[in-house]
Amino acid sequence: MSKNIKKIGVLTSGGDSPGMNAAIRSVVRTCAYHNIECIGIYRGYQGMIEGDFKEMGPRSVNNIVNKGGTILKSARSLEFKTPEGRKKAHENLVNAGIDALVVIGGDGTFTGAELFNNEFGYPVMGIPGTIDNDIYGTSHTLGYDTALNTVVECIDKIRDTASSHNRLFFVEVMGRDAGHIALNAGIGAGAEEILIPEEDLGLERLLESLQKSKASGKSSSIVVVSEGDKIGKNVFELKEYVEEHMPEYDVRVSVLGHMQRGGSPSCFDRVLASRLGVKAVESILEGKSNYMVGLIQDKVALTPLEQAIKGSSKIDEELLRVSDIMTT
Ligand code: F6P
Protein backbone atom coordinates (compact mmCIF):
# COMPACT_ATOMS: atom_id res chain seq x y z
CA MET A 1 0.00 0.00 0.00
CA SER A 2 1.23 3.47 -0.90
CA LYS A 3 2.47 5.55 2.05
CA ASN A 4 2.01 8.76 0.07
CA ILE A 5 -1.77 8.67 -0.05
CA LYS A 6 -3.32 9.90 3.19
CA LYS A 7 -6.46 11.63 1.99
CA ILE A 8 -8.78 10.75 -0.91
CA GLY A 9 -11.48 13.00 -2.38
CA VAL A 10 -14.68 11.64 -3.91
CA LEU A 11 -17.18 13.40 -6.18
CA THR A 12 -20.14 12.68 -8.44
CA SER A 13 -20.48 14.52 -11.72
CA GLY A 14 -22.76 14.62 -14.77
CA GLY A 15 -26.23 13.04 -14.71
CA ASP A 16 -27.05 11.34 -11.43
CA SER A 17 -27.77 7.61 -11.48
CA PRO A 18 -29.09 5.09 -8.96
CA GLY A 19 -26.12 3.46 -7.21
CA MET A 20 -24.01 6.61 -6.95
CA ASN A 21 -24.74 6.86 -3.22
CA ALA A 22 -23.82 3.21 -2.74
CA ALA A 23 -20.51 3.94 -4.50
CA ILE A 24 -19.83 7.00 -2.31
CA ARG A 25 -20.52 4.83 0.74
CA SER A 26 -18.13 2.19 -0.53
CA VAL A 27 -15.33 4.70 -1.20
CA VAL A 28 -15.76 6.33 2.23
CA ARG A 29 -15.82 3.02 4.09
CA THR A 30 -12.90 1.54 2.16
CA CYS A 31 -10.88 4.63 3.06
CA ALA A 32 -11.84 4.19 6.72
CA TYR A 33 -10.93 0.49 6.54
CA HIS A 34 -7.42 1.45 5.38
CA ASN A 35 -7.13 4.40 7.81
CA ILE A 36 -7.20 6.94 5.00
CA GLU A 37 -9.10 10.21 5.36
CA CYS A 38 -11.93 10.78 2.91
CA ILE A 39 -13.27 14.12 1.72
CA GLY A 40 -16.60 14.51 -0.05
CA ILE A 41 -16.55 17.12 -2.80
CA TYR A 42 -19.96 18.68 -3.47
CA ARG A 43 -21.43 19.44 -6.94
CA GLY A 44 -18.72 17.62 -8.90
CA TYR A 45 -15.95 19.64 -10.49
CA GLN A 46 -17.76 22.91 -9.71
CA GLY A 47 -17.44 22.17 -5.99
CA MET A 48 -13.76 21.38 -6.52
CA ILE A 49 -13.28 24.85 -8.01
CA GLU A 50 -15.22 26.46 -5.15
CA GLY A 51 -13.59 24.37 -2.41
CA ASP A 52 -16.94 22.89 -1.34
CA PHE A 53 -15.44 20.03 0.70
CA LYS A 54 -16.65 18.00 3.67
CA GLU A 55 -14.87 15.35 5.73
CA MET A 56 -16.64 11.99 5.55
CA GLY A 57 -16.40 9.08 7.94
CA PRO A 58 -18.05 5.65 7.88
CA ARG A 59 -21.07 6.96 9.86
CA SER A 60 -21.67 9.87 7.48
CA VAL A 61 -22.78 7.38 4.84
CA ASN A 62 -25.27 5.47 6.98
CA ASN A 63 -28.58 4.59 5.29
CA ILE A 64 -27.69 5.77 1.80
CA VAL A 65 -27.04 2.41 0.11
CA ASN A 66 -30.75 2.30 -0.84
CA LYS A 67 -31.11 5.92 -1.96
CA GLY A 68 -31.25 7.19 -5.53
CA GLY A 69 -29.57 10.42 -6.65
CA THR A 70 -26.35 11.53 -5.00
CA ILE A 71 -25.88 13.01 -1.51
CA LEU A 72 -22.81 14.86 -2.86
CA LYS A 73 -25.00 16.51 -5.55
CA SER A 74 -23.93 16.70 -9.16
CA ALA A 75 -23.25 19.33 -11.79
CA ARG A 76 -21.95 19.74 -15.31
CA SER A 77 -19.25 22.40 -14.75
CA LEU A 78 -18.40 24.70 -17.65
CA GLU A 79 -15.67 26.41 -15.59
CA PHE A 80 -13.78 23.13 -15.23
CA LYS A 81 -13.45 23.07 -19.01
CA THR A 82 -11.18 26.14 -18.77
CA PRO A 83 -7.47 25.94 -17.74
CA GLU A 84 -8.14 28.65 -15.09
CA GLY A 85 -10.97 26.59 -13.58
CA ARG A 86 -8.83 23.46 -13.39
CA LYS A 87 -5.93 25.43 -11.87
CA LYS A 88 -8.21 26.76 -9.12
CA ALA A 89 -9.53 23.23 -8.50
CA HIS A 90 -5.98 21.86 -8.25
CA GLU A 91 -4.94 24.57 -5.78
CA ASN A 92 -7.96 23.78 -3.60
CA LEU A 93 -7.12 20.07 -3.54
CA VAL A 94 -3.48 20.76 -2.65
CA ASN A 95 -4.47 23.25 0.08
CA ALA A 96 -6.88 20.71 1.57
CA GLY A 97 -4.17 18.02 1.52
CA ILE A 98 -6.19 15.76 -0.78
CA ASP A 99 -3.77 13.35 -2.51
CA ALA A 100 -6.03 11.57 -5.02
CA LEU A 101 -9.53 11.65 -6.47
CA VAL A 102 -12.27 9.12 -7.14
CA VAL A 103 -14.71 10.49 -9.72
CA ILE A 104 -18.09 8.85 -10.24
CA GLY A 105 -19.84 9.68 -13.52
CA GLY A 106 -19.91 9.14 -17.27
CA ASP A 107 -17.58 9.92 -20.14
CA GLY A 108 -17.73 13.72 -19.62
CA THR A 109 -16.61 13.18 -16.03
CA PHE A 110 -13.79 10.89 -17.17
CA THR A 111 -12.66 13.34 -19.86
CA GLY A 112 -12.30 16.00 -17.13
CA ALA A 113 -10.43 13.60 -14.84
CA GLU A 114 -8.01 12.53 -17.57
CA LEU A 115 -7.25 16.11 -18.51
CA PHE A 116 -6.68 16.96 -14.85
CA ASN A 117 -4.33 14.02 -14.50
CA ASN A 118 -2.40 14.98 -17.63
CA GLU A 119 -2.06 18.62 -16.59
CA PHE A 120 -1.07 18.18 -12.96
CA GLY A 121 0.06 14.53 -12.72
CA TYR A 122 -2.76 14.22 -10.16
CA PRO A 123 -3.87 10.65 -9.26
CA VAL A 124 -7.44 9.93 -10.43
CA MET A 125 -9.66 6.85 -10.57
CA GLY A 126 -13.05 6.63 -12.29
CA ILE A 127 -16.20 4.72 -11.37
CA PRO A 128 -18.76 4.52 -14.22
CA GLY A 129 -22.10 5.96 -13.13
CA THR A 130 -24.74 6.60 -15.79
CA ILE A 131 -28.00 4.93 -16.71
CA ASP A 132 -26.97 4.93 -20.40
CA ASN A 133 -24.42 2.06 -20.10
CA ASP A 134 -22.42 3.76 -22.85
CA ILE A 135 -18.93 3.34 -21.38
CA TYR A 136 -16.27 1.08 -22.84
CA GLY A 137 -14.54 -1.24 -20.34
CA THR A 138 -17.52 -2.31 -18.28
CA SER A 139 -20.50 -4.51 -19.02
CA HIS A 140 -22.59 -2.44 -16.61
CA THR A 141 -22.49 1.18 -15.45
CA LEU A 142 -24.05 2.14 -12.12
CA GLY A 143 -27.75 2.81 -12.49
CA TYR A 144 -28.24 0.96 -15.75
CA ASP A 145 -29.81 -2.13 -14.18
CA THR A 146 -32.13 0.00 -12.04
CA ALA A 147 -33.16 2.08 -15.05
CA LEU A 148 -33.94 -1.09 -17.02
CA ASN A 149 -36.19 -2.34 -14.24
CA THR A 150 -37.93 1.05 -14.05
CA VAL A 151 -38.53 1.10 -17.81
CA VAL A 152 -39.85 -2.46 -17.88
CA GLU A 153 -42.23 -1.66 -15.01
CA CYS A 154 -43.50 1.43 -16.84
CA ILE A 155 -44.00 -0.42 -20.14
CA ASP A 156 -45.85 -3.24 -18.36
CA LYS A 157 -48.29 -0.61 -17.09
CA ILE A 158 -48.60 1.06 -20.48
CA ARG A 159 -49.36 -2.33 -22.01
CA ASP A 160 -52.45 -2.67 -19.83
CA THR A 161 -53.93 0.37 -21.58
CA ALA A 162 -52.53 -0.59 -24.99
CA SER A 163 -54.21 -3.98 -24.89
CA SER A 164 -57.47 -2.76 -23.27
CA HIS A 165 -57.95 -0.16 -26.02
CA ASN A 166 -56.23 -1.98 -28.92
CA ARG A 167 -53.76 0.88 -29.18
CA LEU A 168 -50.26 1.41 -30.51
CA PHE A 169 -47.87 3.16 -28.12
CA PHE A 170 -44.55 4.78 -28.95
CA VAL A 171 -42.55 4.77 -25.71
CA GLU A 172 -39.45 6.97 -25.72
CA VAL A 173 -36.65 5.94 -23.37
CA MET A 174 -33.35 7.61 -22.43
CA GLY A 175 -29.86 6.49 -23.38
CA ARG A 176 -28.43 9.54 -25.13
CA ASP A 177 -26.67 8.15 -28.25
CA ALA A 178 -26.79 4.52 -27.11
CA GLY A 179 -29.61 2.01 -27.49
CA HIS A 180 -28.79 -0.28 -24.55
CA ILE A 181 -31.78 0.78 -22.44
CA ALA A 182 -34.18 0.55 -25.39
CA LEU A 183 -32.97 -2.84 -26.61
CA ASN A 184 -32.79 -4.58 -23.25
CA ALA A 185 -35.93 -3.07 -21.73
CA GLY A 186 -37.72 -3.59 -25.06
CA ILE A 187 -36.94 -7.29 -25.03
CA GLY A 188 -37.78 -7.52 -21.32
CA ALA A 189 -41.14 -5.84 -21.79
CA GLY A 190 -42.00 -7.75 -24.97
CA ALA A 191 -42.04 -4.74 -27.31
CA GLU A 192 -43.24 -5.37 -30.86
CA GLU A 193 -40.53 -3.13 -32.30
CA ILE A 194 -37.41 -1.45 -30.89
CA LEU A 195 -35.76 1.57 -32.50
CA ILE A 196 -32.14 2.21 -31.54
CA PRO A 197 -29.45 4.55 -32.92
CA GLU A 198 -27.08 1.66 -33.69
CA GLU A 199 -29.49 0.14 -36.21
CA ASP A 200 -31.36 2.08 -38.87
CA LEU A 201 -34.70 0.36 -39.34
CA GLY A 202 -36.16 2.99 -41.67
CA LEU A 203 -39.73 4.25 -41.78
CA GLU A 204 -40.91 1.78 -44.42
CA ARG A 205 -39.69 -1.22 -42.51
CA LEU A 206 -41.34 0.13 -39.38
CA LEU A 207 -44.67 0.25 -41.22
CA GLU A 208 -44.12 -3.22 -42.68
CA SER A 209 -43.35 -4.56 -39.24
CA LEU A 210 -46.48 -2.99 -37.73
CA GLN A 211 -48.61 -4.32 -40.61
CA LYS A 212 -47.15 -7.78 -40.13
CA SER A 213 -47.83 -7.61 -36.44
CA LYS A 214 -51.46 -6.61 -37.05
CA ALA A 215 -51.91 -9.34 -39.67
CA SER A 216 -50.53 -11.95 -37.26
CA GLY A 217 -53.40 -11.23 -34.88
CA LYS A 218 -51.91 -8.70 -32.48
CA SER A 219 -54.39 -5.99 -31.63
CA SER A 220 -52.06 -3.72 -29.64
CA SER A 221 -48.41 -2.82 -30.02
CA ILE A 222 -45.58 -1.23 -28.06
CA VAL A 223 -42.74 0.37 -29.99
CA VAL A 224 -39.78 1.34 -27.80
CA VAL A 225 -37.84 4.27 -29.23
CA SER A 226 -34.41 5.23 -27.95
CA GLU A 227 -34.10 9.03 -27.60
CA GLY A 228 -30.99 8.98 -29.83
CA ASP A 229 -32.62 6.93 -32.60
CA LYS A 230 -31.79 8.08 -36.12
CA ILE A 231 -35.01 7.21 -37.98
CA GLY A 232 -35.39 10.94 -38.65
CA LYS A 233 -38.61 11.53 -36.72
CA ASN A 234 -39.20 12.04 -33.01
CA VAL A 235 -41.89 10.01 -31.24
CA PHE A 236 -44.60 12.62 -31.86
CA GLU A 237 -43.76 12.78 -35.57
CA LEU A 238 -43.74 8.98 -35.68
CA LYS A 239 -47.25 8.98 -34.23
CA GLU A 240 -48.45 11.33 -37.01
CA TYR A 241 -46.65 9.30 -39.66
CA VAL A 242 -48.21 6.01 -38.57
CA GLU A 243 -51.67 7.56 -38.15
CA GLU A 244 -51.42 8.85 -41.71
CA HIS A 245 -50.34 5.51 -43.18
CA MET A 246 -52.27 3.17 -40.90
CA PRO A 247 -55.47 4.99 -39.90
CA GLU A 248 -56.76 1.77 -38.34
CA TYR A 249 -54.30 2.29 -35.45
CA ASP A 250 -55.20 4.43 -32.42
CA VAL A 251 -51.73 5.77 -31.53
CA ARG A 252 -50.42 7.27 -28.27
CA VAL A 253 -47.00 8.50 -27.16
CA SER A 254 -45.35 8.15 -23.76
CA VAL A 255 -42.00 9.81 -23.01
CA LEU A 256 -40.68 8.25 -19.83
CA GLY A 257 -38.10 11.00 -19.16
CA HIS A 258 -36.28 11.52 -15.88
CA MET A 259 -38.30 8.99 -13.91
CA GLN A 260 -35.83 6.51 -15.46
CA ARG A 261 -32.95 8.15 -13.60
CA GLY A 262 -34.39 8.18 -10.11
CA GLY A 263 -35.42 5.70 -7.48
CA SER A 264 -33.89 3.18 -5.16
CA PRO A 265 -31.03 1.24 -6.79
CA SER A 266 -31.52 -2.44 -7.60
CA CYS A 267 -29.59 -5.05 -5.63
CA PHE A 268 -27.33 -5.51 -8.66
CA ASP A 269 -26.42 -1.80 -8.70
CA ARG A 270 -25.81 -1.73 -4.94
CA VAL A 271 -23.47 -4.72 -5.09
CA LEU A 272 -21.70 -3.38 -8.18
CA ALA A 273 -21.23 0.03 -6.52
CA SER A 274 -19.78 -1.62 -3.41
CA ARG A 275 -17.34 -3.70 -5.47
CA LEU A 276 -16.21 -0.80 -7.67
CA GLY A 277 -15.72 1.55 -4.70
CA VAL A 278 -13.43 -0.93 -2.92
CA LYS A 279 -11.40 -1.51 -6.08
CA ALA A 280 -11.10 2.21 -6.84
CA VAL A 281 -9.67 3.09 -3.43
CA GLU A 282 -7.41 0.03 -3.20
CA SER A 283 -6.06 0.66 -6.71
CA ILE A 284 -5.12 4.22 -5.72
CA LEU A 285 -3.39 2.87 -2.62
CA GLU A 286 -1.46 0.47 -4.86
CA GLY A 287 -0.13 3.50 -6.71
CA LYS A 288 -2.38 3.17 -9.80
CA SER A 289 -3.88 6.20 -11.49
CA ASN A 290 -5.83 7.29 -14.57
CA TYR A 291 -7.97 4.14 -14.75
CA MET A 292 -11.66 3.34 -14.64
CA VAL A 293 -12.83 0.42 -12.53
CA GLY A 294 -15.49 -1.64 -14.27
CA LEU A 295 -17.00 -5.07 -14.64
CA ILE A 296 -15.60 -7.35 -17.35
CA GLN A 297 -16.99 -10.90 -17.52
CA ASP A 298 -18.29 -10.42 -14.00
CA LYS A 299 -14.83 -9.59 -12.61
CA VAL A 300 -13.83 -6.13 -11.42
CA ALA A 301 -11.14 -4.88 -13.78
CA LEU A 302 -9.23 -1.70 -14.64
CA THR A 303 -9.36 0.03 -18.02
CA PRO A 304 -7.20 3.11 -18.80
CA LEU A 305 -9.44 6.20 -18.68
CA GLU A 306 -8.34 7.15 -22.18
CA GLN A 307 -9.69 3.85 -23.55
CA ALA A 308 -12.88 4.11 -21.51
CA ILE A 309 -13.50 7.55 -23.05
CA LYS A 310 -12.53 6.74 -26.63
CA GLY A 311 -13.82 3.17 -26.92
CA SER A 312 -17.44 2.46 -27.69
CA SER A 313 -19.77 0.15 -25.80
CA LYS A 314 -21.13 -1.98 -28.62
CA ILE A 315 -24.67 -3.28 -28.88
CA ASP A 316 -24.82 -7.04 -28.42
CA GLU A 317 -25.53 -8.61 -31.85
CA GLU A 318 -27.04 -11.68 -30.22
CA LEU A 319 -29.61 -9.46 -28.50
CA LEU A 320 -30.58 -7.91 -31.83
CA ARG A 321 -31.29 -11.38 -33.18
CA VAL A 322 -33.21 -12.40 -30.05
CA SER A 323 -35.28 -9.24 -30.38
CA ASP A 324 -36.07 -10.07 -34.05
CA ILE A 325 -37.17 -13.58 -33.16
CA MET A 326 -39.28 -12.41 -30.22
CA THR A 327 -41.25 -10.01 -32.38
CA THR A 328 -42.34 -12.82 -34.73
O1 F6P B 1 -26.73 10.54 -19.36
C1 F6P B 1 -27.88 10.31 -18.64
C2 F6P B 1 -29.05 11.01 -19.28
O2 F6P B 1 -30.20 10.77 -18.48
C3 F6P B 1 -29.33 10.64 -20.74
O3 F6P B 1 -29.99 9.42 -20.86
C4 F6P B 1 -30.11 11.84 -21.20
O4 F6P B 1 -29.94 12.03 -22.58
C5 F6P B 1 -29.49 12.98 -20.43
O5 F6P B 1 -28.83 12.41 -19.31
C6 F6P B 1 -30.45 14.04 -19.97
O6 F6P B 1 -29.71 15.02 -19.34
P1 F6P B 1 -30.37 16.20 -18.48
O7 F6P B 1 -30.86 15.62 -17.20
O8 F6P B 1 -29.26 17.16 -18.26
O9 F6P B 1 -31.49 16.75 -19.29
Side-chain angles (χ1 to χ4, degrees):
M1 294 283 162
S2 166
K3 294 216 165 40
N4 304 325
I5 305 284
K6 297 197 170 57
K7 213 185 254 191
I8 290 180
V10 58
L11 61 81
T12 49
S13 167
D16 62 297
S17 69
M20 280 186 163
N21 279 328
I24 294 168
R25 170 180 179 266
S26 174
V27 169
V28 170
R29 291 199 173 160
T30 309
C31 283
Y33 180 84
H34 290 289
N35 294 314
I36 303 288
E37 282 181 69
C38 189
I39 304 294
I41 300 168
Y42 283 91
R43 293 174 295 118
Y45 293 124
Q46 195 54 38
M48 218 158 102
I49 292 169
E50 293 170 22
D52 197 357
F53 302 158
K54 189 185 167 200
E55 232 172 272
M56 298 184 91
R59 296 289 71 77
S60 60
V61 288
N62 282 352
N63 304 322
I64 65 166
V65 71
N66 56 334
K67 298 237 165 21
T70 158
I71 57 161
L72 289 178
K73 315 270 183 193
S74 193
R76 292 183 173 124
S77 170
L78 290 178
E79 205 181 341
F80 195 72
K81 291 189 174 163
T82 67
E84 299 76 37
R86 292 193 294 276
K87 188 164 166 282
K88 238 196 269 177
H90 183 248
E91 281 165 9
N92 284 336
L93 291 183
V94 171
N95 291 340
I98 301 171
D99 304 306
L101 263 186
V102 176
V103 300
I104 307 169
D107 57 356
T109 306
F110 294 163
T111 304
E114 217 227 344
L115 197 57
F116 198 67
N117 173 270
N118 291 345
E119 277 178 352
F120 304 104
Y122 197 89
V124 293
M125 198 57 67
I127 295 180
T130 163
I131 61 164
D132 302 337
N133 208 37
D134 57 350
I135 307 280
Y136 176 84
T138 189
S139 60
H140 291 75
T141 54
L142 294 181
Y144 173 56
D145 181 69
T146 306
L148 287 182
N149 287 313
T150 303
V151 173
V152 164
E153 195 185 329
C154 290
I155 299 178
D156 284 350
K157 289 181 175 158
I158 290 170
R159 191 176 284 285
D160 288 346
T161 299
S163 63
S164 302
H165 289 264
N166 291 346
R167 279 179 183 165
L168 163 65
F169 269 86
F170 285 104
V171 181
E172 185 190 277
V173 300
M174 279 186 169
R176 209 177 281 272
D177 298 319
H180 298 289
I181 294 180
L183 183 59
N184 281 270
I187 292 174
E192 276 66 36
E193 198 53 78
I194 303 167
L195 307 185
I196 56 172
E198 293 84 350
E199 205 192 33
D200 186 15
L201 184 69
L203 287 167
E204 277 179 23
R205 274 194 50 213
L206 172 65
L207 280 186
E208 268 169 38
S209 160
L210 293 174
Q211 274 150 359
K212 217 173 100 192
S213 166
K214 192 126 200 142
S216 77
K218 288 189 180 176
S219 54
S220 65
S221 289
I222 304 278
V223 178
V224 176
V225 185
S226 179
E227 65 175 346
D229 182 62
K230 304 207 164 42
I231 201 161
K233 291 191 187 294
N234 65 35
V235 271
F236 298 99
E237 293 163 345
L238 280 175
K239 171 186 185 313
E240 281 172 18
Y241 179 82
V242 170
E243 278 174 341
E244 200 179 301
H245 291 82
M246 298 179 74
E248 66 275 26
Y249 261 127
D250 188 14
V251 190
R252 293 290 187 278
V253 168
S254 184
V255 177
L256 299 189
H258 286 81
M259 73 168 69
Q260 295 162 91
R261 234 163 70 183
S264 183
S266 65
C267 180
F268 180 90
D269 275 327
R270 298 180 198 193
V271 175
L272 179 63
S274 306
R275 292 172 78 187
L276 298 186
V278 169
K279 184 71 174 178
V281 171
E282 294 191 338
S283 299
I284 289 175
L285 297 182
E286 283 163 13
K288 298 197 175 88
S289 170
N290 222 13
Y291 286 97
M292 178 194 81
V293 293
L295 200 62
I296 301 177
Q297 292 179 339
D298 206 30
K299 294 269 177 295
V300 176
L302 298 182
T303 298
L305 272 184
E306 193 187 356
Q307 276 181 30
I309 297 160
K310 289 193 181 143
S312 66
S313 65
K314 296 230 154 43
I315 280 288
D316 187 341
E317 295 291 326
E318 186 224 336
L319 275 186
L320 287 176
R321 191 165 170 269
V322 168
S323 149
D324 275 350
I325 296 173
M326 288 306 108
T327 53
T328 305

